[in-house]
Amino acid sequence: MKTLKNQFNIFFVGLVSLTFLFEDIYGWGGHYLITQKALSHPEFHFLDQEVEVESFEDFLAKEREGLYKLFKEYYEWLYSYRPNRMNPKYLEKPFDKENPTLASFLKAARLNPETKFYLVNRVLPGEKPKQKIIPTKEVYPYYKDQGFYFVFEDVSKKKVSLRSILITFSDEPDWVMDHHLWEIQEYGYGKQPYGEPEGESSKAPFHMQFMHEPWLVRNFAPFLLEGMAVERIVLFTKLAKYAKKTNHPYWAYRFLAWTLHYYQDLAQPYHARAVPEGNTWYYVRYILSFDKKGFQDRTTQVLKNKHFIYEDFVNVYLEKDYISPNDFTRALSSYLQKEPLVFDNFQKYLQGKETINYYDVVWELTQYSTEHAYELDKSIQKIFGEKYTRDPKYDVERDPEYNIRKVIETLDEDKKKLLIEITGRDFLNTAQITRFAVLDFYRNP
């Protein structure tokens, strides 16, 4: 039994670590575009209100006492929920209120000490900036140019809409704040459950939550259940509601935008299921395999290719819908705007029928994305074919001839329709949780 557990540990550590090395550079097809579409419903007209951009230093100076209490409450909750993922010293001194600086906040929130909160606005595809452009690499140090639209403009000392704050900063958790945290012993995160300690992979456990894995995984690779997106959602929701209560609308909606990011990530099946095609027979084949290392390597490569090409497709179609829309792009975007406003299972929280437990919210959210992962994965194989989705000798990242736009052009109409439909189901789920998060913030104290 111990040997079998060790085999599963080796398999999943390697698999999840390697697949996350490439993934989530753009997240769920560009969180900012998803946020813009999902909140275009008339119910969210209040987001058109404009507010003054406030420096983070001003916010901290005015709210030092309140932030101390907020972080203390958060760490008391975290200590009762997951004490192995925190330093108990945070119960004694959760925030340095005598020295309320950016560095103090990053330490209190346990974010990357190199994080900087630029006062920028993200320009939508097809639009031109109206203010001074800020280099993308300053805002997003891990940015790698792959032909997608990344333009930021300086809006310090300006007014911006609440909507633009949510759009701009729903991508911010990908920029630097969650990178390279495991080496900071003072934070007390403990041992990294999966992913690599360097680069993009270092943020894996904060952006994935595998809550609904089959019994084999739960028993033989329990470290996969150690995702920490819930902790991020709880903290940033608390910060958003506190900033709203104390009349700091800019930071209230910026914190809320961070919350949207984690919710949206978990609505993406590849973030909610470790191995989407991994049914019981799949794991039995691994156990019986005489070449487990080869089995792992093959699985890793094809999963990486499928995940990469899928998110590239989403990016292309979302951007295209702004620049040169057609029936296919409009069909995909329509899923982000469909009724109902919020699924029934989340309405109970918005109507005050139940006290919100964010673990339960994430559980329900990821239940659907997990259940849909297998069907999505099989559809990706059918649509893009053997080379891109089943050949372990092929690496889409290292193919100099690979161009997602050209790949899409080769698809016949039936495959494009299937791809729109299969993605649309997860877009609908993503839109629902986005709206829920905004309405939870807006309606509930």
Side-chain angles (χ1 to χ4, degrees), residues 391-402:
D391 183 359
K393 296 179 181 178
Y394 176 76
D395 189 335
V396 68
E397 250 194 317
R398 292 174 172 79
D399 179 3
E401 302 298 321
Y402 167 76

Side-chain angles (χ1 to χ4, degrees), residues 278-286 288:
N279 54 21
T280 301
W281 172 238
Y282 172 90
Y283 295 117
V284 170
R285 285 192 291 118
Y286 170 72
L288 298 178

Side-chain angles (χ1 to χ4, degrees), residues 242-445:
Y242 174 78
K244 173 189 173 184
K245 181 180 178 181
T246 54
N247 197 29
H248 296 277
Y250 177 81
W251 284 101
Y253 279 84
R254 189 155 173 176
F255 293 140
L256 176 60
W258 300 354
T259 305
L260 298 185
H261 181 97
Y262 300 95
Y263 276 136
Q264 291 174 358
D265 265 357
L266 300 181
Q268 212 275 48
Y270 285 106
H271 284 249
R273 183 73 185 270
V275 184
E277 64 177 313
N279 54 21
T280 301
W281 172 238
Y282 172 90
Y283 295 117
V284 170
R285 285 192 291 118
Y286 170 72
I287 294 171
L288 298 178
S289 172
F290 291 106
D291 181 17
K292 291 181 170 55
K293 177 64 166 57
F295 190 103
Q296 175 185 310
D297 290 344
R298 291 189 294 272
T299 299
T300 297
Q301 187 59 60
V302 296
L303 178 56
K304 169 183 170 180
N305 289 342
K306 287 181 286 189
H307 196 157
F308 197 8
I309 199 169
Y310 179 54
E311 292 205 341
D312 266 2
F313 150 73
V314 173
N315 268 286
V316 168
Y317 266 49
L318 281 177
E319 282 197 1
K320 191 176 180 65
D321 196 51
Y322 285 83
I323 299 170
S324 55
N326 58 37
D327 290 344
F328 289 112
T329 66
R330 283 189 284 266
L332 180 62
S333 292
S334 70
Y335 283 97
L336 292 168
Q337 299 167 306
K338 283 186 176 181
E339 301 281 0
L341 190 66
V342 176
F343 285 147
D344 288 343
N345 56 327
F346 294 135
Q347 284 288 0
K348 60 191 176 188
Y349 300 122
L350 298 178
Q351 295 169 356
K353 295 179 180 178
E354 289 189 23
T355 302
I356 296 181
N357 181 319
Y358 292 101
Y359 181 92
D360 291 342
V361 172
V362 172
W363 176 272
E364 294 182 38
L365 168 67
T366 54
Q367 189 166 32
Y368 179 83
S369 47
T370 301
E371 290 171 353
H372 191 224
Y374 183 84
E375 183 181 355
L376 170 66
D377 194 72
K378 291 301 180 185
S379 297
I380 294 298
Q381 294 176 34
K382 178 179 179 181
I383 291 164
F384 290 105
E386 183 78 15
K387 173 183 175 182
Y388 293 115
T389 67
R390 299 304 299 167
D391 183 359
K393 296 179 181 178
Y394 176 76
D395 189 335
V396 68
E397 250 194 317
R398 292 174 172 79
D399 179 3
E401 302 298 321
Y402 167 76
N403 183 309
I404 183 59
R405 292 170 177 83
K406 292 181 179 179
V407 173
I408 291 173
E409 289 175 1
T410 67
L411 302 180
D412 61 41
E413 192 163 301
D414 287 341
K415 287 185 176 180
K416 287 181 180 179
K417 287 181 179 178
L418 176 59
L419 192 53
I420 296 297
E421 179 185 346
I422 205 74
T423 305
R425 290 169 59 182
D426 293 308
F427 264 21
L428 184 60
N429 195 32
T430 306
Q432 302 293 321
I433 197 62
T434 300
R435 295 176 192 146
F436 163 79
V438 173
L439 292 175
D440 168 38
F441 165 80
Y442 186 66
R443 296 179 183 177
N444 297 323

